[in-house]
Amino acid sequence: MSHKRVAILLSGSGSNMAALVDSMTGDHPARPVLVVSNRPGAGGLDKAQARGVPTAVVDHRPFAGDRAAFETALTAVLEEARPDIICLAGFMRVLTEGFVTRWDGRVLNVHPSLLPRHRGLDTYARALAAGDTEFGATVHVVTAALDDGPILGQVHLPIHPGDTAEDLAGRLHLWEHRLYTDVLRRFAGGDTTPVRLP
Ligand code: GAR
């Protein structure tokens, strides 16, 4: 069996990346081939190296807001790794239609809300401010619209009275990893039936 090749893009600590990489062993239909960060100091780079996964940095700052040029550089690095699937894992840059079209239907993202609610940033605070009774995370196929695209899985958790944004983030953490690893295994095996957790 030839494994699906997975590249992972991140900007931060890379806990989701680590969970994805650690899951891709044994009978898993995919293997990690590259981790790319847009931030040179991202903690996720160390975690990837510790796991023996090749890393690259494509710093967005020299491109000074020219998203198309940044994405051309990012795509050049990715093309060398020939990924079948690209997982965004705390990758905090908006990707434009050009990039999404190039990797059509093969880019996945994890977002810390129950999409379509709370696209964008500060999702925990916004769920609390809205008086939501539940929150969670969503893994979806990336399209040109921000935090949109076909949903491949969600984890739904209750919000308790008195919860803070930190409480929600802390409770979601491990569930998010479980969701993303479950979805990637299914997706790499050609199954897009949505995962629902817990
Ligand atoms: C995760 O909670 C992920 O859902 C979020 O960033 C965090 C990255 O953590 N992603 C977004 O907000 C994307 N808009 P990690 O670096 O430890 O995986």
Side-chain angles (χ1 to χ4, degrees), residues 10-191:
L10 54 77
S11 306
S13 74
S15 71
N16 279 280
M17 177 280 300
L20 292 174
V21 167
D22 292 346
S23 75
M24 286 185 263
T25 60
D27 67 355
H28 196 292
R31 290 293 183 270
V33 296
L34 181 67
V35 167
V36 187
S37 173
N38 67 300
R39 288 186 192 279
L45 291 168
D46 292 340
K47 287 192 180 76
Q49 283 156 14
R51 286 164 171 77
V53 181
T55 60
V57 172
V58 183
D59 191 342
H60 64 279
R61 289 171 302 183
F63 297 97
D66 184 346
R67 286 188 196 276
F70 167 67
E71 291 174 4
T72 298
L74 185 59
T75 287
V77 167
L78 287 168
E79 277 174 347
E80 283 189 38
R82 294 178 290 107
D84 300 300
I85 299 167
I86 298 171
C87 291
L88 311 185
F91 182 69
M92 304 307 277
R93 304 299 300 172
V94 172
L95 293 167
T96 71
E97 192 166 2
F99 183 91
V100 172
T101 303
R102 166 64 185 83
W103 303 102
D104 189 30
R106 295 187 278 153
V107 185
L108 310 186
N109 181 44
V110 62
H111 181 77
S113 81
L114 294 172
L115 292 175
R117 289 183 73 68
H118 311 308
R119 295 185 171 98
L121 302 174
D122 298 323
T123 54
Y124 305 113
R126 286 162 57 212
L128 292 172
D132 292 357
T133 56
E134 59 169 13
F135 75 113
T138 303
V139 176
H140 63 97
V141 179
V142 173
T143 60
L146 179 69
D147 296 328
D148 202 357
I151 289 176
L152 297 172
Q154 283 187 324
V155 51
H156 291 243
L157 299 175
I159 293 178
H160 305 306
D163 271 343
T164 64
E166 291 70 33
D167 293 334
L168 301 191
R171 281 217 298 285
L172 187 65
H173 205 58
L174 291 179
W175 280 109
E176 196 178 55
H177 298 170
R178 204 176 135 197
L179 176 71
Y180 211 174
T181 54
D182 282 5
V183 168
L184 177 61
R185 179 183 282 268
R186 219 178 252 202
F187 187 80
D191 181 359

